[in-house]
Amino acid sequence: MIKLEKISVKFGGGLLSRKRAVYALRDITTDEITSSALLIGESGAGKTTLGKVILGLIKPSEGTYYYKGINVWKNKRKMLKIIRREIQYIAQDPFASFNPNKTVGESIGYVVKKYYGRKNYKERVIELLKSVGLSEREFYKYPHQLSGGQLQRANIARALVPNPKILVADEPTSMLDASLRLSIINLLANLIEKNDLKVIMITHDLGIAKYFYHKVKNVKGLILYKGRLVEEGDFLDILEKPLHPYTKFLKENIIDIASVNRDNQYIVSEEKLNENGCPFYPYCSFRVDICKNNFPPSKSINNRKVACYHYA
Ligand SMILES: Nc1ncnc2c1ncn2[C@@H]1O[C@H](COP(=O)(O)OP(=O)(O)OP(=O)(O)O)[C@@H](O)[C@H]1O
């Protein structure tokens, strides 16, 4: 379905910009993604940027994005039209995703009318609301009259309007109370099972990621670190037997990557990072000289891929 080849995304550094270009993503190559997936990484790792590349919202500065085997940006008129329909986005904050002056039914109805016309649009909206565990009552409510969890359900209902093949869910539970988080994951797992749908979930919360894996099964994990893809493979396999030193660090130290504490004993060196080197170099206890200036090529090991000279 989705294949990324040497994708880099650079921000800034234009002719009129005083700032140096920053790579949000660097040289990302994946195997074909055919299942649901988890994009894991701490803040600034490039998760959202990668999600936007997949949604066709960001044109990579370098590299090729294939959807269904077709080079998206080489065939952009046709492919972006397909992607806009088949790949939908679930944002983190459901309150920011709805117009506060319109009822939930009107907001979802707007999208229904766009795709299917006015006829029977209300019935379609109510059916969608029911498919995400809401009821007809919610059609008439304004966003502020719903809880965060209910509104996130409505957000998911709206994303389902064009009958997408993929949902890119960007931290879909992080704005919700802990008690509601699992119910949203349950809903996504349910939709995956009942529909011909895959979810690409972006998260820094390993607890949520594990729960998603156990509900959905067959979930690919993509571990990002400072714009680089460091490990790829079955998510549980990665978590149980991490190969990359960063993934090992994650497993041993933390549940929520947002709580990474850089002042712990893991830090080996404070040396300045070379842009072309491995970004984990300063913290890595397996590092060798070459890591400093050269990011390693990805190596296949038992259905996994890891970018680390330790395995070269
Ligand atoms: N529009 C932009 N202009 C300039 N820099 C950007 C832009 N969008 C993202 N970046 C930078 O690219 C890097 C990756 O950002 P991104 O939002 O993709 O990370 P993330 O893993 O999703 O982080 P978070 O979990 O904090 O959202 C960061 O250093 C960020 O500051």
Side-chain angles (χ1 to χ4, degrees), residues 8-189:
S8 294
V9 173
K10 252 188 312 200
F11 289 113
L15 279 178
L16 301 175
S17 167
R18 285 164 168 232
K19 289 190 186 152
R20 223 163 52 88
V22 195
Y23 279 99
L25 292 175
R26 190 88 195 265
D27 220 2
I28 304 282
T29 297
T30 62
D31 285 340
E32 183 157 22
I33 304 170
T34 52
S35 62
S36 288
L38 282 154
L39 301 188
I40 306 281
E42 56 199 68
S43 186
K47 305 179 298 294
T48 298
T49 305
L50 190 57
K52 287 182 179 168
V53 167
I54 291 170
L55 285 153
L57 297 175
I58 290 181
K59 182 179 181 197
S61 323
E62 292 146 43
T64 315
Y65 169 26
Y66 295 96
Y67 181 60
K68 293 179 161 174
I70 299 172
N71 182 331
V72 170
W73 288 96
K74 218 174 167 185
N75 301 277
K76 68 174 183 202
R77 273 181 82 137
K78 177 178 151 212
M79 290 311 289
L80 290 181
K81 206 168 160 204
I82 293 173
I83 285 175
R84 298 272 179 269
R85 187 170 185 136
E86 294 191 358
I87 311 184
Q88 293 292 312
Y89 185 57
I90 311 283
Q92 186 174 24
D93 182 358
F95 287 98
S97 308
F98 279 89
N99 181 338
N101 302 315
K102 285 200 156 70
T103 67
V104 166
E106 281 170 332
S107 284
I108 302 176
Y110 175 81
V111 187
V112 169
K113 285 183 224 164
K114 191 174 109 188
Y115 281 102
Y116 306 103
R118 291 194 65 85
K119 197 161 172 249
N120 300 333
Y121 91 91
K122 197 169 163 190
E123 286 75 8
R124 273 183 197 263
V125 175
I126 291 167
E127 203 181 299
L128 281 162
L129 288 171
K130 287 182 178 165
S131 74
V132 296
L134 298 171
S135 69
E136 185 173 352
R137 279 195 309 275
E138 276 74 42
F139 185 99
Y140 305 99
K141 290 192 178 164
Y142 288 89
H144 72 271
Q145 295 174 305
L146 266 62
S147 70
Q150 284 175 316
L151 203 57
Q152 193 57 301
R153 283 172 186 271
N155 206 6
I156 293 170
R158 182 171 55 186
L160 294 175
V161 170
N163 209 6
K165 302 251 177 272
I166 300 171
L167 293 181
V168 175
D170 194 350
E171 310 262 10
T173 62
S174 63
M175 306 280 283
L176 307 179
D177 290 344
S179 60
L180 292 171
R181 289 184 191 160
L182 301 188
S183 72
I184 292 294
I185 302 297
N186 289 343
L187 169 63
L188 291 173

